[in-house]
Amino acid sequence: MQRWIRSFFDTHRPKFEKEGRLHRYHGLFEAFETIFFLPDSTTSQSPHIRDSLDLKRFMSIVILAIVPVALFGIYNTGYYACLAAGESTAFIPSFIQGLFIFIPLLVVSYGVGFFWEALFAVRRGHGISEGFLVSGLLYPLILPPDLPLWQAAIGISFGVVIGKEIFGGTGRNLLNPALTARAFVFFAYPGQMSGDAVWISGGATDAVSGATALAISAQAEPGSQIPAMLDQAGLGLFELFVGRTPGSIGETSALLCIVGALILIITGVANWRIMVGGVLGVLGTGMLLNQLATGSFAAAMALPAYYHLVMGGFAFGIVFMATDPVSAPGTDAARWLYGFLIGALTVLIRVFNPAYPEGTMLAILFMNLFAPLLDHFVIQIRLRKRISHV
């Protein structure tokens, strides 16, 4: 089988080379070939690269880290859909129901996204970037389960074209494409992205409420004890950590986000400084607000800081979104500050902007814009130190 596939690509490759009649589509041909075989590019002069880990396989490690989160998200989404419909909530029926909800969103994300990737690749005459392998999977995981497919298609189109391709494609984009797509859908169709009913497929019923921990926190009156309110709603600290709560398809389980983080850190794919900095930013800002809790935001300010680590999509965002090597800083000092500020902004937005209780998305996108500036300051400081020692 392998020999036949190799022969197929070898036979048709000349048609896609520079002098071939299909040379404009060389990027498409190369994208399909590297799915089956390792890249065979060689260098004629130094530096010589001795590594078979190309971008596609680099992204495959990220996908491997996302798989546990995705599988649990599929089950959790199906569980709440079955619960709302009064059907069996056993594992297999819940997982199958979750697949029926998730797969259409995934197909739309990859189908529409790769269409734009291929279109720009052919137009510019370069290969298709494998970076969308991750973005196309992350995007449906941060969406509500019942988002109309046409809205999902418009969102991913905006994320790929406006968030990435207009800057020159993968490696040149300032913003995370998946988060850019979600931000567009959120502001363009807020009715489909907010409220209690959107987090459960089929809508909330008397049997199950779609209220999330962040929504409960945002609606708390001064003097209320949010942890007690969460416990009463069945959204205690353990449930939030494990992920058995309503929410976006893939971002509810902080536990499995930690598993994904360990995979990315051990393999060296993601930088741990951003993750740790984000956690420190959440804890530091949360504890500071605990000491200043007063006024109309007293209840949210008094919420123990560690709740912010497991509520909403912070764990998912800081592990899989903030560590995007393209839109994050490249220097270690800047990474610490970048992660810390994402954590701090997440808490500040959640506490002081009840209209938008989930602050992680905006915090990451905002810091994406400042990532180059942080690197610039770090490099300038290092240069000044070196000059001063000359």
Side-chain angles (χ1 to χ4, degrees), residues 11-338:
T11 301
H12 292 85
R13 183 180 294 106
K15 301 176 184 177
F16 296 89
E17 297 296 343
K18 189 173 183 180
E19 302 299 328
R21 58 189 178 87
L22 299 176
H23 69 277
R24 292 187 59 187
Y25 305 100
H26 175 75
L28 291 173
F29 178 83
E30 185 181 54
F32 283 107
E33 184 180 22
T34 54
I35 292 175
F36 298 95
F37 301 101
L38 294 173
D40 59 357
S41 302
T42 58
T43 54
S44 58
Q45 58 185 15
S46 62
H48 299 287
I49 301 173
R50 297 181 176 89
D51 196 344
S52 62
L53 183 65
D54 66 342
L55 182 58
K56 185 183 270 82
R57 283 157 183 80
F58 183 91
M59 293 300 175
S60 296
I61 297 175
V62 183
I63 292 176
L64 175 65
I66 299 172
V67 165
V69 177
L71 292 177
F72 178 83
I74 291 171
Y75 161 70
N76 191 59
T77 300
Y79 170 84
Y80 277 102
C82 291
L83 187 63
E87 301 174 355
S88 172
T89 56
F91 176 79
I92 293 179
S94 297
F95 191 81
I96 293 175
Q97 181 63 30
L99 284 174
F100 280 112
I101 296 169
F102 177 70
I103 293 300
L105 288 171
L106 183 66
V107 170
V108 167
S109 177
Y110 273 133
V112 175
F114 273 122
F115 165 78
W116 290 112
E117 290 277 356
L119 181 64
F120 277 89
V122 171
R123 181 66 181 86
R124 291 169 174 164
H126 59 59
I128 297 178
S129 169
E130 293 85 353
F132 189 74
L133 289 171
V134 173
S135 299
L137 177 57
L138 289 175
Y139 176 61
L141 290 175
I142 56 178
L143 295 177
D146 271 353
L147 184 74
L149 296 181
W150 66 271
Q151 292 183 6
I154 293 177
I156 195 61
S157 297
F158 185 90
V160 172
V161 177
I162 305 300
K164 181 169 70 172
E165 293 298 340
I166 64 170
F167 294 102
T170 299
R172 297 179 176 88
N173 51 292
L174 293 176
L175 304 173
N176 182 290
L179 278 181
T180 303
R182 189 186 192 278
F184 174 83
V185 176
F186 177 83
F187 290 110
Y189 311 105
Q192 302 290 340
M193 296 289 291
S194 58
D196 294 343
V198 302
W199 307 114
I200 296 179
S201 181
T205 66
D206 293 335
V208 56
S209 169
T212 64
L214 290 173
I216 293 173
S217 174
Q219 296 166 6
E221 298 292 335
S224 302
Q225 296 295 322
I226 295 178
M229 296 171 63
L230 294 175
D231 288 335
Q232 186 177 4
L235 302 176
L237 193 61
F238 178 78
E239 287 76 17
L240 293 173
F241 179 68
V242 173
R244 284 295 293 272
T245 67
S248 296
I249 296 175
E251 62 181 23
T252 61
S253 178
L255 172 62
L256 292 177
C257 287
I258 293 175
V259 173
L262 291 175
I263 294 175
L264 296 177
I265 292 172
I266 292 172
T267 56
V269 170
N271 193 282
W272 60 270
R273 295 171 183 83
I274 295 175
M275 302 183 201
V276 176
V279 172
L280 294 177
V282 165
L283 295 177
T285 306
M287 288 187 289
L288 176 62
L289 294 180
N290 291 164
Q291 303 301 316
L292 303 175
T294 185
S296 58
F297 299 105
M301 294 174 70
L303 179 67
Y306 51 82
Y307 269 88
H308 287 286
L309 297 176
V310 295
M311 292 167 59
F314 173 76
F316 188 90
I318 200 65
V319 171
F320 299 112
M321 300 290 195
T323 56
D324 172 20
V326 176
S327 56
T331 57
D332 287 343
R335 286 166 175 160
W336 279 108
L337 185 57
Y338 172 81

